[in-house]
């Protein structure tokens, strides 16, 4: 078989459903940088014309008039989550809240100790969500990945 005449076509598809949900916390210039990714589940329109939406990793429910509005509301709500828990409540309560929501890191006990007791991060900590349960009514929902970034002093 002459391989020079054969053409191999490779198609790459990025599957939003396989993208991880995470929170990555990094120290940066006397501050903290937080990057994150999460899934938004969007159902079909209900009898009132609304799309029910759910963010499993943060246990946030909301509704929107369109898919685009659902993306914008989801971004606003996750930014509000980080603003409230990290900026207003502090690193210790933030760490306890993401732990309660099911986010874990590779060396989870060490990471939690850094955030709760030492209230500082030595380099970078990545927390992955293990909470991807699908509640009733969202079994056939569309799943979209969203990302965000915040900087805190």
């Amino acid at each position: 078989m002459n391989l020079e005449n054969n053409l191999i076509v490779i198609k790459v598809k990025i599957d939003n459903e396989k993208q991880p949900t995470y929170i990555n916390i990094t120290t940066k210039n006397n501050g903290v940088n937080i990057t994150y990714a999460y899934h938004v589940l969007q159902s079909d329109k209900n009898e009132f014309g609304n799309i029910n939406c759910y963010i499993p990793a943060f246990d946030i429910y909301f509704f929107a008039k369109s898919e685009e509005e659902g993306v914008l509301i989801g971004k606003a709500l996750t930014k509000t989550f980080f603003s409230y828990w990290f900026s207003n409540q502090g690193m210790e309560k933030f760490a306890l809240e993401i732990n309660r929501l099911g986010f874990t890191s590779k060396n989870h006990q060490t990471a939690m100790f850094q955030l709760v007791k030492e209230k500082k991060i030595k380099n970078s900590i990545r927390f992955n969500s293990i909470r991807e349960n699908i509640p009733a009514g969202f079994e056939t929902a569309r799943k979209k990945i969203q990302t965000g970034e915040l900087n805190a002093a």
Side-chain angles (χ1 to χ4, degrees), residues 6-150:
N6 293 336
L7 179 63
I8 299 173
V9 177
I10 300 173
K11 291 184 180 179
V12 177
K13 179 183 174 201
I14 297 174
D15 188 354
N16 276 339
E17 292 188 21
K18 302 295 182 200
Q19 296 294 322
T21 297
Y22 67 85
I23 299 170
N24 192 43
I25 307 169
T26 309
T27 54
K28 195 176 194 180
N29 301 335
N30 296 328
V32 175
N33 185 48
I34 300 173
T35 55
Y36 56 94
Y38 59 94
H39 294 118
V40 178
L41 302 179
Q42 295 182 336
S43 69
D44 292 328
K45 285 193 174 190
N46 62 22
E47 64 271 14
F48 304 108
N50 296 320
I51 297 172
N52 293 318
C53 302
Y54 178 57
I55 304 173
F58 299 105
D59 199 26
I60 297 173
Y61 289 88
F62 61 97
F63 70 89
K65 295 285 183 191
S66 67
E67 288 186 28
E68 295 79 19
E69 184 182 67
V71 168
L72 293 174
I73 292 171
K75 285 183 179 186
L77 290 172
T78 54
K79 280 190 177 188
T80 301
F81 171 89
F82 285 103
S83 177
Y84 176 77
W85 284 106
F86 190 83
S87 300
N88 295 345
Q89 297 297 312
M91 195 176 296
E92 178 181 355
K93 289 184 179 177
F94 171 73
L96 294 172
E97 181 63 14
I98 63 173
N99 183 66
R100 184 190 70 77
L101 289 170
F103 283 89
T104 61
S105 64
K106 213 173 207 178
N107 297 314
H108 192 65
Q109 290 179 336
T110 303
M112 290 300 292
F113 182 80
Q114 282 182 30
L115 292 173
V116 174
K117 296 293 182 193
E118 295 179 359
K119 296 180 177 57
K120 63 182 178 179
I121 302 158
K122 293 194 171 130
N123 289 316
S124 176
I125 302 172
R126 182 181 173 112
F127 292 91
N128 292 311
S129 176
I130 57 172
R131 182 183 191 168
E132 289 294 332
N133 53 332
I134 311 289
F138 288 94
E139 298 89 348
T140 59
R142 293 171 299 287
K143 191 182 225 183
K144 297 184 177 193
I145 188 81
Q146 298 296 315
T147 59
E149 182 174 0
L150 293 167

